[in-house]
Amino acid sequence: MILLNRLSYNFGSNWALKDINLEVGKGEFVFLTGHSGAGKTTLMRLLYGALPVTRGQATVAGFDLHSLKKRKIPELRREVGVVFQDFKILTNRTVFENIALALIVRRMPKSTIDKRVRAIIRALGLEKKTYTLCERLSGGEQQRVAIARSMVVNPKLILADEPTGNLDFDLSMHLMDIFRQFNTHGTTVVMATHSREVLQTIPEARIVHLEDGCIAEPPAHLFMEDE
Ligand SMILES: Nc1ncnc2c1ncn2[C@@H]1O[C@H](COP(=O)(O)OP(=O)(O)OP(=O)(O)O)[C@@H](O)[C@H]1O
Ligand SMILES: [Mg+2]
């Protein structure tokens, strides 16, 4: 699903990613860990075409990102569901509209859109907010809208950047369960997280640890059980 070969990325003189080699197979669940500034978001942004691959090679869902033309990026994004660290939902639209948008641009019939949007709204416990403008939602509710939007298209690959960062424990656990269900049905998931509790929800997942832009051994404390 993802194949990276000596992928590097710089912001001016700052190399945010250095020589990343990584292979993620179809159906895998991968946690991306690392300190703030290690390069997790930069890697995610490269993977869905928000930053250009300027050095090294990257193939995602069959697309060679190095040679990918700008006008082909929407085709890549059709296969990839993304949960951004800062949500990027449309605050002047309702919950329903935000989630439906991804299906509308795919020209799905209205009845199918309605069914799928309602199902995912139910799964994420947002029924009461279906027609609320997103600017009136709490941070955690907005985050759930962002997650719903990434999932509603049944993507081959979900890239989720700290998707449970604003949520309380119970809700994070519930959402991890939903991510896991998607994964069980064959969706590949790459999730950035700082939280050991989140890592522990999917013990069989692979951990890819970034340190200062390089892939490194995950530190032992990530695996330790809570006292
Ligand atoms: N738009 C940008 N312009 C310049 N430098 C950037 C930009 N975005 C990120 N960086 C730099 O790239 C490096 C990696 O940042 P990145 O956002 O990928 O880290 P991260 O691992 O996602 O951190 P966090 O856990 O805080 O989200 C940092 O040194 C950061 O300052
Ligand atoms: Mg980040």
Side-chain angles (χ1 to χ4, degrees):
M1 185 58 59
I2 299 176
L3 186 61
L4 309 179
N5 182 19
R6 303 205 61 184
L7 181 69
S8 299
Y9 193 82
N10 63 308
F11 295 100
S13 61
N14 176 12
W15 286 89
L17 292 174
K18 301 167 205 160
D19 266 347
I20 301 289
N21 295 310
L22 179 68
E23 186 170 354
V24 178
K26 194 172 168 326
E28 264 199 274
F29 200 118
V30 174
F31 283 118
L32 200 55
T33 60
H35 285 125
S36 181
K40 304 181 295 297
T41 298
T42 304
L43 181 56
M44 298 267 191
R45 294 177 70 197
L46 282 162
L47 294 180
Y48 64 86
L51 292 173
V53 171
T54 47
R55 195 181 285 203
Q57 275 128 29
T59 308
V60 175
F63 292 85
D64 170 9
L65 300 190
H66 188 75
S67 62
L68 192 69
K69 299 269 184 300
K70 263 216 169 104
R71 64 186 161 78
K72 293 274 188 187
I73 290 177
E75 284 179 36
L76 164 70
R77 295 202 182 149
R78 229 160 275 164
E79 311 291 349
V80 183
V82 190
V83 185
F84 303 94
Q85 200 166 16
D86 56 357
F87 319 147
K88 291 207 165 66
I89 55 176
L90 304 169
T91 50
N92 59 349
R93 296 293 173 90
T94 66
V95 168
F96 189 95
E97 287 168 336
N98 264 280
I99 301 171
L101 196 61
L103 300 178
I104 292 169
V105 301
R106 286 169 172 77
R107 299 179 194 284
M108 262 181 208
K110 209 163 168 278
S111 56
T112 314
I113 293 180
D114 206 67
K115 223 189 298 164
R116 282 173 65 168
V117 173
R118 279 175 207 289
I120 199 89
I121 283 179
R122 215 176 310 121
L124 297 191
L126 288 165
E127 295 102 314
K128 284 194 186 129
K129 306 283 179 180
T130 304
Y131 300 110
T132 303
L133 289 181
C134 286
E135 64 195 10
R136 308 237 171 104
L137 299 178
S138 73
E141 287 165 346
Q142 293 193 15
Q143 197 152 20
R144 275 183 281 161
V145 173
I147 293 170
R149 190 186 47 186
S150 77
M151 288 177 165
V152 76
V153 299
N154 282 332
K156 285 186 188 154
L157 169 67
I158 292 183
L159 301 173
D161 200 353
E162 296 273 355
T164 58
N166 276 284
L167 306 175
D168 61 42
F169 181 78
D170 287 348
L171 199 49
S172 316
M173 293 304 114
H174 173 64
L175 286 181
M176 288 309 295
D177 216 49
I178 295 174
F179 277 108
R180 181 206 276 277
Q181 281 172 35
F182 265 80
N183 180 242
T184 308
H185 287 101
T187 306
T188 311
V189 181
V190 177
M191 181 181 294
T193 185
H194 281 112
S195 155
R196 193 174 351 140
E197 280 156 352
V198 166
L199 293 178
Q200 283 168 352
T201 58
I202 310 204
E204 68 276 19
R206 177 148 65 108
I207 296 183
V208 172
H209 186 70
L210 286 176
E211 230 171 79
D212 204 14
C214 299
I215 290 190
E217 276 300 307
H221 71 80
L222 284 180
F223 303 102
M224 278 193 284
E225 295 290 326
D226 289 319
E227 303 290 303

